[in-house]
Amino acid sequence: MEPTTALLERVRAWIAADPDPDDRAELEDLLARVESTDPRNDEARAEILADLADRFSGTLQFGTAGLRGRMGAGPLRMNRAVVIRAAAGLGAYLSSVVDRPKVVVGYDARHRSQQLALDTAAVLTAAGAHVDLYPRALPTPLLAFGVRHLDADAGVMVTASHNPPADNGYKVYLGGRAVGGSGEGAQIVPPYDAEIAARIAAAPDAVDVPRAETGWSLIDDKVVRAYLDRVGTLTADEDRRLKIVTTALHGVGGPLLATALAEAGFTEVVPVPEQESPDPDFPTVAFPNPEEPGAIDLALGLAQDTNADLVIANDPDADRCAVAVLDPRAGTHRGTETAASSGWRMLHGDEVGMLLGSEIAARFDGTPGATLASSVVSSRILGPIARAHGLTHTTTLTGFKWISRADGLVFGYEEALGYCVDPESVRDKDGISAAVVIAQLADRLAREGRTIVDALDDLARAHGLHVTDQVSARFSDLSLIPATMQRLRDEPPATLAGSRVTEIVDLSAGHGDLPPTDGIVLHCEDGTRVIVRPSGTEPKVKCYLEVVRPVAAEADHEVMSAARREARDQLDQVGADIRASLGL
């Protein structure tokens, strides 16, 4: 650990350069408690020193995900000083590539999001940019839409998406004159991230960064209206039959989703009242991510109580979309049934991806150059779906910064509940438009006397039964993650669920059209695939599992149910084997 005297001097220097009085007071209080000579404070003093050492152990790094971290004072936290310098670096970069850059800034309802957005607007305006600021907390897809709709050179969204309440983040998009082609309006990738990061590193102390008091413009609701009109082009205005339960998980997507569904003809939409209004503390969920166990239990319970047909959940910034359905086979899906929601289960992200992919592919059937894209860790079924419709399929690295850059993109998805159903207007995942398209599909099936589950069976009969899952391990000691990955490289398993491992691909060397990334792919003789990689946003190692089984075209409901049970059992064994191999 850094010597105490040197550490405390760096804390004092940060205080002197921090423009936020609350953050200065937070650090000043910690300093006073550390410097107290009262022996009764010795234990607390040690804890405070460890906390300060952590806060000052580095600088929150700007990369392809922008910034994301725990809020608090200090260089390794999300705060005004860090964001002001980030905005200064972004402004310097933009000014080096375009004259008087145009920037759109948005924010969600997390703690401090509005202030961080205002700081960004003030810094960029002072740097000579034309800044359009959204006037209230709105979903991330509105920011991505605004970059393209307003022909902006860049966009900034202050959000931590589905992270815990203590976190916040800062996503950067480039467009307009700053970047063209398929990347226009998408999140940054290399080399843009490194070029912006270099200018952030060269920025002055936050207190010395010029900030305008006025000069930016507030975006009026015409842009929100334009977004809703665009979503409306994805669906027909009909007399719908479905009753839908929705939840915003205390985020900002509720009003926009309600309006989009209403304008698509859905008149029976019931929001979860406890989670309808934005609340940055997310009081009813342990973790505000629809994928997490228990996150949508209130929605499932309400769906059962109201005899609903469909459940749609957005994450707090509404760029992700989760779907739950009544499934007579719910008991065959491990961990998806609760006492309050018998018969209901949340679809896996790959299941929603294949449904939406098939729906969009049918609209572009035979269109030259039209492409479906999915991340390397998502199900392989999107490839056969694309080919069946005469379309191209491409596999990208994980994350929509890569998916959205696919040439000719008409649909893209990743298994972590991210779907892009209209890349022409939103070059990112969009939980609002995806919800409208999946609701329309469910409604059309209901008119035919069929269900979402029937549609999944149809895809299995046509392209093989693809069943996926994920196992992961969270690490408190980040140094153990590289060691875990190296263990797999040194001693890969010979078999998974009894099937011989026939191919091992180390993605760190690059593979096919994929640039290098930290990941390992295991292919088995029976078609099973496992991909192991460190998470890009959490201290986790994630293992993505896929079992593929052929299904006869004439397979009936009973045969399909048996096939899914067998695939589920095999997937469980694959998960157990890979965990053992990793020492988890």
Side-chain angles (χ1 to χ4, degrees):
M1 181 181 292
E2 181 180 7
T4 300
T5 301
L7 172 62
L8 298 187
E9 284 304 312
R10 291 207 299 126
V11 174
R12 292 187 182 92
W14 182 272
I15 291 171
D18 193 326
D20 186 85
D22 292 335
D23 286 343
R24 292 198 304 269
E26 179 183 335
L27 290 177
E28 287 166 349
D29 176 64
L30 293 175
L31 274 181
R33 292 162 66 188
V34 163
E35 293 173 335
S36 168
T37 58
D38 189 335
R40 293 172 296 181
N41 294 333
D42 286 350
E43 185 175 341
R45 186 180 299 110
E47 293 178 359
I48 294 168
L49 278 172
D51 177 30
L52 289 173
D54 180 57
R55 293 173 188 240
F56 285 81
S57 60
T59 301
L60 202 60
Q61 292 299 302
F62 185 91
T64 54
L67 296 168
R68 188 173 294 188
R70 185 148 46 103
M71 286 178 281
L76 202 59
R77 296 290 187 268
M78 275 294 295
N79 52 61
R80 293 184 65 198
V82 166
V83 164
I84 285 169
R85 295 188 73 241
L90 175 61
Y93 168 76
L94 290 173
S95 295
S96 74
V97 294
V98 298
D99 295 327
R100 201 178 181 225
K102 182 176 184 179
V103 186
V104 179
V105 179
Y107 57 95
D108 66 8
R110 283 180 178 265
H111 292 296
R112 307 188 80 174
S113 283
Q114 183 182 36
Q115 179 61 63
L116 298 180
L118 286 168
D119 283 331
T120 299
V123 170
L124 292 173
T125 299
H130 172 90
V131 178
D132 290 319
L133 175 69
Y134 276 105
R136 61 184 183 279
L138 286 165
T140 293
L142 254 295
L143 185 281
F145 174 81
V147 173
R148 291 177 71 86
H149 182 73
L150 297 171
D151 196 26
D153 302 306
V156 174
M157 181 68 190
V158 181
T159 179
S161 191
H162 57 280
N163 274 38
D167 289 0
N168 215 327
Y170 196 84
K171 296 172 69 171
V172 175
Y173 300 71
L174 292 179
R177 297 167 294 166
V179 66
S182 60
E184 186 175 351
Q187 295 177 53
I188 56 170
V189 295
Y192 307 112
D193 56 345
E195 292 172 2
I196 296 170
R199 286 167 172 81
I200 294 172
D205 289 339
V207 73
D208 296 322
V209 172
R211 283 178 285 149
E213 295 185 1
T214 59
W216 55 87
S217 302
L218 292 182
I219 297 173
D220 64 32
D221 277 346
K222 289 180 181 178
V223 175
V224 178
R225 181 67 261 165
Y227 169 81
L228 287 166
D229 289 345
R230 181 70 191 197
V231 173
T233 66
L234 304 175
T235 180
D237 183 4
E238 298 178 352
D239 180 22
R240 305 294 186 179
R241 300 179 181 181
L242 290 191
K243 176 181 282 188
I244 304 175
V245 165
T246 64
T247 176
L249 287 187
H250 302 292
V252 295
L256 207 63
L257 178 60
T259 301
L261 288 172
E263 293 183 359
F266 293 96
T267 58
E268 291 192 271
V269 178
V270 184
V272 175
E274 300 93 330
Q275 298 173 335
E276 185 177 11
S277 298
D279 188 329
D281 293 318
F282 309 111
T284 68
V285 293
F287 204 101
N289 181 351
E291 291 182 294
E292 292 292 323
I296 67 166
D297 280 359
L298 285 175
L300 296 179
L302 182 59
Q304 179 152 317
D305 292 344
T306 59
N307 198 28
D309 303 292
L310 190 69
V311 171
I312 293 174
N314 289 133
D315 67 337
D317 71 330
D319 63 351
R320 287 171 171 81
C321 175
V323 179
V325 299
L326 271 171
D327 184 354
R329 297 189 298 247
T332 69
H333 299 270
R334 175 173 52 83
T336 59
E337 192 171 2
T338 69
S341 58
S342 178
W344 284 89
R345 75 169 178 97
M346 193 174 101
L347 299 182
H348 190 280
D350 282 317
E351 292 179 305
V352 178
M354 64 181 75
L355 289 165
L356 289 172
S358 180
E359 184 80 355
I360 301 299
R363 300 181 185 186
F364 287 88
D365 193 82
T367 302
T371 298
L372 308 185
S374 51
S375 68
V376 66
V377 299
S378 300
S379 172
R380 290 164 285 177
I381 196 172
L382 200 61
I385 289 172
R387 290 191 291 273
H389 290 276
L391 308 179
T392 300
H393 173 259
T394 187
T395 300
T396 75
L397 292 181
T398 304
F400 261 84
K401 56 186 175 286
W402 300 110
I403 295 170
S404 61
R405 280 179 158 73
D407 289 334
L409 184 69
V410 297
F411 171 74
Y413 97 94
E414 61 182 359
E415 53 78 41
L417 308 182
Y419 314 100
C420 177
V421 298
D422 184 23
E424 189 63 29
S425 64
V426 177
R427 210 79 181 178
D428 199 2
K429 54 187 176 290
D430 182 350
I432 305 294
S433 57
V436 170
V437 175
I438 200 74
Q440 177 179 246
L441 171 61
D443 182 76
R444 187 176 73 241
L445 289 166
R447 291 170 185 270
E448 299 168 356
R450 306 174 70 239
T451 68
I452 287 286
V453 176
D454 294 324
L456 289 170
D457 285 351
D458 288 345
L459 289 171
R461 294 184 188 101
H463 308 296
L465 177 61
H466 291 63
V467 181
T468 57
D469 201 0
Q470 181 188 133
V471 296
S472 62
R474 184 178 291 272
F475 290 79
S476 55
D477 183 351
L478 298 184
S479 68
L480 297 177
I481 292 179
T484 300
M485 296 297 296
Q486 192 59 46
R487 183 183 300 115
L488 184 61
R489 289 184 170 96
D490 294 340
E491 301 177 23
T495 63
L496 290 170
S499 181
R500 185 168 60 92
V501 175
T502 56
E503 184 183 15
I504 301 170
V505 179
D506 191 341
L507 296 177
S508 65
H511 181 66
D513 294 330
L514 296 177
T517 187
D518 190 4
I520 301 165
V521 187
L522 307 175
H523 290 282
C524 294
E525 197 167 34
D526 66 354
T528 295
R529 185 194 69 177
V530 173
I531 299 179
V532 182
R533 61 180 286 271
S535 169
T537 57
E538 300 175 273
K540 286 182 175 181
V541 168
K542 293 185 173 182
C543 310
Y544 303 85
L545 323 176
E546 182 172 37
V547 167
V548 182
R549 286 174 170 257
V551 180
E554 66 275 10
D556 60 16
H557 179 80
E558 186 175 336
V559 171
M560 290 299 306
S561 295
R564 289 188 183 277
R565 283 195 298 271
E566 292 167 3
R568 181 74 252 177
D569 290 343
Q570 181 181 351
L571 206 61
D572 289 344
Q573 186 58 56
V574 171
D577 288 351
I578 195 66
R579 288 183 67 88
S581 181
L582 291 169
L584 303 178

